Amino acid sequence: MNIDRLEALLEKLLSLHKSLLHLAQQKTECLKEENEKVLSKLINEEQSHIKAITKLEEARQREVLLIWEEPLTLGEIIEKLPLPQRAKYEVLKEELSTCLLALKERNELNQQLLYYSLQVVNMTIDMFGKQPKNLNYHRSQKERPSAPSRSMFDSKA
């Protein structure tokens, strides 16, 4: 059994998830400060982390299939391990769970911040879009009663 390789994959997954959580925290600050350039950079970094996590998770699943010949969750893996090795995996599972929960909460906060920012933008656009075209204090020429036109010069004089 290659349990050590599986443990190394889980530790890498945990490390990447912690890094992703740190990026999400930085994203929150960028959203608060309305810093679009840094936010764009963070989103690109986030995408590369997600790709790496996906590859590591696929490698973890392959390793589990090689060892037990069936797909297993981390909890199921812990149950199948010998007692001396369970402690390490239980710690890894707890840390992963905690990190994923924190990441979920942070992403929900970021989503709310984006939603409120979009509401402000939409409200501002609506305010500018509904202003009258003529900002004078009188009615338009069409609505004014027609007065007899007079010339400035009296032609009879």
mmCIF file of all heavy atoms in Angstrom, residues 107-127:
data_model
loop_
_atom_site.group_PDB
_atom_site.id
_atom_site.type_symbol
_atom_site.label_atom_id
_atom_site.label_comp_id
_atom_site.label_asym_id
_atom_site.label_seq_id
_atom_site.Cartn_x
_atom_site.Cartn_y
_atom_site.Cartn_z
ATOM 1 N N ASN A 107 -16.246 33.118 0.646
ATOM 2 C CA ASN A 107 -16.788 33.281 -0.710
ATOM 3 C C ASN A 107 -18.211 33.820 -0.676
ATOM 4 O O ASN A 107 -18.600 34.614 -1.540
ATOM 5 C CB ASN A 107 -16.710 31.972 -1.485
ATOM 6 C CG ASN A 107 -15.312 31.690 -1.994
ATOM 7 O OD1 ASN A 107 -14.505 32.599 -2.187
ATOM 8 N ND2 ASN A 107 -15.011 30.429 -2.197
ATOM 9 N N GLU A 108 -18.993 33.408 0.306
ATOM 10 C CA GLU A 108 -20.351 33.953 0.449
ATOM 11 C C GLU A 108 -20.301 35.444 0.774
ATOM 12 O O GLU A 108 -21.091 36.225 0.248
ATOM 13 C CB GLU A 108 -21.123 33.182 1.522
ATOM 14 C CG GLU A 108 -21.545 31.797 1.081
ATOM 15 C CD GLU A 108 -22.150 30.962 2.196
ATOM 16 O OE1 GLU A 108 -22.178 31.414 3.369
ATOM 17 O OE2 GLU A 108 -22.588 29.831 1.905
ATOM 18 N N LEU A 109 -19.372 35.839 1.644
ATOM 19 C CA LEU A 109 -19.199 37.257 1.965
ATOM 20 C C LEU A 109 -18.802 38.042 0.718
ATOM 21 O O LEU A 109 -19.366 39.104 0.435
ATOM 22 C CB LEU A 109 -18.150 37.437 3.065
ATOM 23 C CG LEU A 109 -17.747 38.870 3.384
ATOM 24 C CD1 LEU A 109 -18.921 39.666 3.951
ATOM 25 C CD2 LEU A 109 -16.570 38.886 4.356
ATOM 26 N N ASN A 110 -17.859 37.518 -0.036
ATOM 27 C CA ASN A 110 -17.425 38.191 -1.271
ATOM 28 C C ASN A 110 -18.571 38.300 -2.267
ATOM 29 O O ASN A 110 -18.718 39.321 -2.943
ATOM 30 C CB ASN A 110 -16.245 37.449 -1.895
ATOM 31 C CG ASN A 110 -14.970 37.633 -1.108
ATOM 32 O OD1 ASN A 110 -14.867 38.512 -0.253
ATOM 33 N ND2 ASN A 110 -13.996 36.783 -1.359
ATOM 34 N N GLN A 111 -19.394 37.280 -2.337
ATOM 35 C CA GLN A 111 -20.542 37.313 -3.234
ATOM 36 C C GLN A 111 -21.520 38.409 -2.805
ATOM 37 O O GLN A 111 -22.054 39.143 -3.641
ATOM 38 C CB GLN A 111 -21.230 35.955 -3.247
ATOM 39 C CG GLN A 111 -22.360 35.852 -4.245
ATOM 40 C CD GLN A 111 -22.971 34.461 -4.268
ATOM 41 O OE1 GLN A 111 -22.640 33.594 -3.469
ATOM 42 N NE2 GLN A 111 -23.867 34.245 -5.205
ATOM 43 N N GLN A 112 -21.749 38.549 -1.508
ATOM 44 C CA GLN A 112 -22.638 39.604 -1.017
ATOM 45 C C GLN A 112 -22.060 40.985 -1.316
ATOM 46 O O GLN A 112 -22.794 41.898 -1.726
ATOM 47 C CB GLN A 112 -22.867 39.458 0.484
ATOM 48 C CG GLN A 112 -23.751 38.302 0.851
ATOM 49 C CD GLN A 112 -23.851 38.117 2.363
ATOM 50 O OE1 GLN A 112 -23.101 38.721 3.127
ATOM 51 N NE2 GLN A 112 -24.775 37.270 2.789
ATOM 52 N N LEU A 113 -20.755 41.150 -1.126
ATOM 53 C CA LEU A 113 -20.121 42.437 -1.426
ATOM 54 C C LEU A 113 -20.261 42.786 -2.903
ATOM 55 O O LEU A 113 -20.527 43.940 -3.248
ATOM 56 C CB LEU A 113 -18.644 42.419 -1.009
ATOM 57 C CG LEU A 113 -18.368 42.432 0.481
ATOM 58 C CD1 LEU A 113 -16.877 42.198 0.751
ATOM 59 C CD2 LEU A 113 -18.820 43.728 1.105
ATOM 60 N N LEU A 114 -20.071 41.803 -3.770
ATOM 61 C CA LEU A 114 -20.244 42.043 -5.206
ATOM 62 C C LEU A 114 -21.690 42.403 -5.532
ATOM 63 O O LEU A 114 -21.948 43.296 -6.342
ATOM 64 C CB LEU A 114 -19.833 40.805 -6.002
ATOM 65 C CG LEU A 114 -18.353 40.612 -6.223
ATOM 66 C CD1 LEU A 114 -18.075 39.242 -6.818
ATOM 67 C CD2 LEU A 114 -17.786 41.700 -7.102
ATOM 68 N N TYR A 115 -22.627 41.723 -4.902
ATOM 69 C CA TYR A 115 -24.035 41.992 -5.138
ATOM 70 C C TYR A 115 -24.388 43.425 -4.744
ATOM 71 O O TYR A 115 -25.050 44.143 -5.494
ATOM 72 C CB TYR A 115 -24.885 40.986 -4.353
ATOM 73 C CG TYR A 115 -26.362 41.224 -4.486
ATOM 74 C CD1 TYR A 115 -27.049 40.879 -5.642
ATOM 75 C CD2 TYR A 115 -27.087 41.804 -3.441
ATOM 76 C CE1 TYR A 115 -28.409 41.096 -5.763
ATOM 77 C CE2 TYR A 115 -28.446 42.022 -3.553
ATOM 78 C CZ TYR A 115 -29.099 41.673 -4.707
ATOM 79 O OH TYR A 115 -30.443 41.895 -4.825
ATOM 80 N N TYR A 116 -23.919 43.852 -3.571
ATOM 81 C CA TYR A 116 -24.220 45.211 -3.127
ATOM 82 C C TYR A 116 -23.530 46.252 -4.009
ATOM 83 O O TYR A 116 -24.101 47.307 -4.289
ATOM 84 C CB TYR A 116 -23.827 45.407 -1.660
ATOM 85 C CG TYR A 116 -24.676 44.588 -0.715
ATOM 86 C CD1 TYR A 116 -24.104 43.844 0.294
ATOM 87 C CD2 TYR A 116 -26.064 44.545 -0.846
ATOM 88 C CE1 TYR A 116 -24.881 43.082 1.165
ATOM 89 C CE2 TYR A 116 -26.842 43.788 0.002
ATOM 90 C CZ TYR A 116 -26.255 43.067 1.004
ATOM 91 O OH TYR A 116 -27.026 42.314 1.853
ATOM 92 N N SER A 117 -22.333 45.954 -4.472
ATOM 93 C CA SER A 117 -21.643 46.865 -5.385
ATOM 94 C C SER A 117 -22.418 47.014 -6.686
ATOM 95 O O SER A 117 -22.546 48.119 -7.216
ATOM 96 C CB SER A 117 -20.230 46.358 -5.685
ATOM 97 O OG SER A 117 -19.440 46.382 -4.530
ATOM 98 N N LEU A 118 -22.934 45.910 -7.183
ATOM 99 C CA LEU A 118 -23.728 45.971 -8.410
ATOM 100 C C LEU A 118 -25.029 46.741 -8.206
ATOM 101 O O LEU A 118 -25.477 47.457 -9.102
ATOM 102 C CB LEU A 118 -24.037 44.562 -8.917
ATOM 103 C CG LEU A 118 -22.891 43.852 -9.619
ATOM 104 C CD1 LEU A 118 -23.270 42.410 -9.935
ATOM 105 C CD2 LEU A 118 -22.478 44.577 -10.874
ATOM 106 N N GLN A 119 -25.618 46.619 -7.025
ATOM 107 C CA GLN A 119 -26.822 47.386 -6.739
ATOM 108 C C GLN A 119 -26.530 48.879 -6.757
ATOM 109 O O GLN A 119 -27.309 49.672 -7.285
ATOM 110 C CB GLN A 119 -27.406 46.991 -5.381
ATOM 111 C CG GLN A 119 -28.205 45.723 -5.406
ATOM 112 C CD GLN A 119 -28.860 45.447 -4.063
ATOM 113 O OE1 GLN A 119 -28.298 45.746 -3.015
ATOM 114 N NE2 GLN A 119 -30.048 44.879 -4.111
ATOM 115 N N VAL A 120 -25.396 49.282 -6.193
ATOM 116 C CA VAL A 120 -25.017 50.695 -6.189
ATOM 117 C C VAL A 120 -24.788 51.175 -7.611
ATOM 118 O O VAL A 120 -25.240 52.260 -7.995
ATOM 119 C CB VAL A 120 -23.761 50.926 -5.311
ATOM 120 C CG1 VAL A 120 -23.193 52.312 -5.511
ATOM 121 C CG2 VAL A 120 -24.092 50.680 -3.845
ATOM 122 N N VAL A 121 -24.105 50.376 -8.414
ATOM 123 C CA VAL A 121 -23.853 50.750 -9.811
ATOM 124 C C VAL A 121 -25.168 50.892 -10.568
ATOM 125 O O VAL A 121 -25.385 51.876 -11.281
ATOM 126 C CB VAL A 121 -22.931 49.714 -10.492
ATOM 127 C CG1 VAL A 121 -22.893 49.911 -11.995
ATOM 128 C CG2 VAL A 121 -21.530 49.793 -9.915
ATOM 129 N N ASN A 122 -26.064 49.930 -10.399
ATOM 130 C CA ASN A 122 -27.354 49.998 -11.092
ATOM 131 C C ASN A 122 -28.175 51.199 -10.638
ATOM 132 O O ASN A 122 -28.825 51.861 -11.455
ATOM 133 C CB ASN A 122 -28.144 48.705 -10.877
ATOM 134 C CG ASN A 122 -27.601 47.571 -11.695
ATOM 135 O OD1 ASN A 122 -26.999 47.774 -12.742
ATOM 136 N ND2 ASN A 122 -27.795 46.360 -11.211
ATOM 137 N N MET A 123 -28.154 51.491 -9.359
ATOM 138 C CA MET A 123 -28.897 52.641 -8.852
ATOM 139 C C MET A 123 -28.321 53.937 -9.433
ATOM 140 O O MET A 123 -29.066 54.829 -9.834
ATOM 141 C CB MET A 123 -28.826 52.683 -7.324
ATOM 142 C CG MET A 123 -29.690 53.770 -6.709
ATOM 143 S SD MET A 123 -29.637 53.749 -4.916
ATOM 144 C CE MET A 123 -27.969 54.305 -4.615
ATOM 145 N N THR A 124 -27.009 54.024 -9.516
ATOM 146 C CA THR A 124 -26.368 55.215 -10.077
ATOM 147 C C THR A 124 -26.720 55.371 -11.545
ATOM 148 O O THR A 124 -27.032 56.473 -12.005
ATOM 149 C CB THR A 124 -24.837 55.124 -9.902
ATOM 150 O OG1 THR A 124 -24.550 54.925 -8.520
ATOM 151 C CG2 THR A 124 -24.147 56.376 -10.397
ATOM 152 N N ILE A 125 -26.694 54.281 -12.275
ATOM 153 C CA ILE A 125 -27.054 54.335 -13.698
ATOM 154 C C ILE A 125 -28.505 54.766 -13.855
ATOM 155 O O ILE A 125 -28.824 55.586 -14.715
ATOM 156 C CB ILE A 125 -26.800 52.971 -14.373
ATOM 157 C CG1 ILE A 125 -25.302 52.739 -14.494
ATOM 158 C CG2 ILE A 125 -27.475 52.893 -15.739
ATOM 159 C CD1 ILE A 125 -24.933 51.342 -14.966
ATOM 160 N N ASP A 126 -29.381 54.242 -13.034
ATOM 161 C CA ASP A 126 -30.793 54.623 -13.089
ATOM 162 C C ASP A 126 -30.979 56.106 -12.794
ATOM 163 O O ASP A 126 -31.780 56.778 -13.435
ATOM 164 C CB ASP A 126 -31.626 53.794 -12.099
ATOM 165 C CG ASP A 126 -31.829 52.373 -12.582
ATOM 166 O OD1 ASP A 126 -31.565 52.093 -13.768
ATOM 167 O OD2 ASP A 126 -32.239 51.528 -11.755
ATOM 168 N N MET A 127 -30.242 56.601 -11.828
ATOM 169 C CA MET A 127 -30.372 58.019 -11.474
ATOM 170 C C MET A 127 -29.953 58.909 -12.636
ATOM 171 O O MET A 127 -30.597 59.905 -12.931
ATOM 172 C CB MET A 127 -29.535 58.348 -10.233
ATOM 173 C CG MET A 127 -30.184 57.872 -8.967
ATOM 174 S SD MET A 127 -29.267 58.186 -7.424
ATOM 175 C CE MET A 127 -28.015 59.323 -7.808
#
